[in-house]
Amino acid sequence: MQSNNSQLDSSINIAKSQKLERHRFNLLPPLALLAPSGIWLLLLLLLPTLIIFQLSLVPNIRPGDLVNPSGLNNYIRILEPIYLKVIFHSLFLAISTTISCLILGFPVAYWIAQIAPKRWRNLLLLGFVLPLWTSSLLRSYAWITILRPTGLLNSLLTSVGLPALELLNRNPAVLIGMSYSLLPYMVLVLYASLEKLDQQLLEAAADLGANPIQTFWQVTVPQVFPGIAAGSLLVFITALGDFIDPELLGGASSMTAARLVYNQFLGATQNWGFGSALSMTLIMVVSIALAVAYRRYRTFD
């Protein structure tokens, strides 16, 4: 009897060992596929972030100084009203850009995905994202040509008897430039979701007496909400870190967190510790936005 039990235990142990070996073997192909991207992220994302965090703990450090972390003085400095104002202004521009891109991009993406003939959809998408083939710097200079006091827009307005608009070097110019630059990203992400829209659910809602507004909010939006969340996050994160549009279109009156970080590293200030603290603050803001969006998506789903 004991011999049988021993053989049974031995067989179970052998089976467990073989199963564990198969499991380890099955993990090898995924690990091999993930290794290049994992090494890339480790070297170019995680390690630089840790270095920036270390620098953020050193007050008034300049290039060539000894790195000796000594506290949170740089983070406390961010709480000063002048810097909080810059951060809130950056958040305002990023949120406003996200909302404008969503409002402008949703009808376009819906029309391309659901109304336009299928044979023209790829060509329409290509035409819509064509501006991305040009440099963002070139696009900003084009908007300067359009929005400056003697530019194309004011020339058209004055030719029809309307007053000229002072947009350049103001927040509206920054919003226009950022929305124009990021709108294609929103359209592409929304198009991917709207293309998979279940038409049977829309027809069922109409048969049950739902009007177009009810159908949109109760049927269309829940189906494409992942695309709305993904597109909004993509635009928000990119707008929060945008440097070119605020620099060229906003002028001195439109200071943002990205421009402030640039000044700390490459400007006359040369305070790498405070610039690193600002960078880490932006990273934390983006991480919080991602966490909130993920939790909202789980709740919505």
Side-chain angles (χ1 to χ4, degrees):
M1 186 67 177
Q2 292 179 352
S3 176
N4 292 335
N5 291 336
S6 301
Q7 292 178 356
L8 180 60
D9 293 339
S10 178
S11 300
I12 293 174
N13 291 332
I14 292 173
K16 289 182 178 179
S17 177
Q18 292 176 347
K19 185 177 180 180
L20 182 61
E21 290 295 329
R22 287 196 300 269
H23 181 68
R24 291 176 178 174
F25 180 78
N26 291 334
L27 286 176
L28 290 179
L31 290 176
L33 291 174
L34 293 174
S37 60
I39 295 173
W40 181 273
L41 290 175
L42 176 65
L43 295 178
L44 299 180
L45 179 62
L46 182 59
L47 290 181
T49 302
L50 293 176
I51 293 173
I52 291 175
F53 177 70
Q54 184 184 32
L55 290 175
S56 70
L57 301 177
V58 184
N60 300 320
I61 186 172
R62 294 175 179 270
D65 292 349
L66 181 64
V67 178
N68 184 22
S70 58
L72 301 176
N73 293 335
N74 290 322
Y75 291 96
I76 296 174
R77 185 180 175 187
I78 295 176
L79 299 178
E80 295 179 9
I82 186 173
Y83 299 120
L84 285 179
K85 183 179 178 180
V86 172
I87 293 176
F88 287 138
H89 184 245
S90 301
L91 290 173
F92 167 76
L93 289 176
I95 293 173
S96 300
T97 301
T98 303
I99 294 173
S100 63
C101 286
L102 182 59
I103 293 174
L104 295 173
F106 196 96
V108 175
Y110 185 88
W111 181 78
I112 296 176
Q114 296 295 324
I115 300 176
K118 289 186 177 181
R119 65 180 182 274
W120 294 106
R121 289 178 184 174
N122 291 335
L123 185 61
L124 290 170
L125 280 177
L126 177 63
F128 199 81
V129 301
L130 199 60
L132 295 179
W133 294 11
T134 62
S135 170
S136 57
L137 188 64
L138 181 61
R139 294 197 299 268
S140 295
Y141 275 114
W143 276 111
I144 291 176
T145 303
I146 295 172
L147 299 176
R148 64 186 180 184
T150 58
L152 178 61
L153 177 61
N154 284 328
S155 297
L156 291 176
L157 291 175
T158 54
S159 65
V160 296
L162 296 176
L165 300 176
E166 295 184 5
L167 296 176
L168 195 60
N169 296 329
R170 298 174 181 269
N171 285 335
V174 178
L175 287 175
I176 291 173
M178 292 172 67
S179 298
Y180 174 78
S181 299
L182 300 178
L183 184 60
Y185 297 109
M186 179 68 78
V187 171
L188 286 175
V189 176
L190 290 176
Y191 172 82
S193 294
L194 288 166
E195 190 182 25
K196 303 173 184 178
L197 198 62
D198 191 346
Q199 295 294 331
Q200 293 182 350
L201 293 178
L202 300 178
E203 295 173 359
D207 293 338
L208 293 173
N211 57 45
I213 297 178
Q214 291 174 327
T215 302
F216 174 77
W217 286 110
Q218 299 181 18
V219 180
T220 302
V221 170
Q223 289 190 72
V224 301
F225 181 78
I228 293 174
S232 298
L233 273 177
L234 177 62
V235 171
F236 173 79
I237 293 172
T238 309
L240 188 62
D242 191 3
F243 172 79
I244 294 177
D245 288 314
E247 176 72 17
L248 296 181
L249 299 176
S253 63
S254 183
M255 177 60 69
T256 62
R259 295 178 64 189
L260 189 58
V261 170
Y262 172 85
N263 291 338
Q264 302 303 316
F265 280 98
L266 300 176
T269 307
Q270 291 286 299
N271 188 344
W272 284 20
F274 184 57
S276 299
L278 287 168
S279 301
M280 291 303 302
T281 301
L282 291 179
I283 292 174
M284 287 187 287
V285 170
V286 171
S287 301
I288 292 172
L290 289 172
V292 171
Y294 176 75
R295 183 174 180 180
R296 174 62 177 165
Y297 168 71
R298 291 289 299 271
T299 303
F300 203 94
D301 190 56

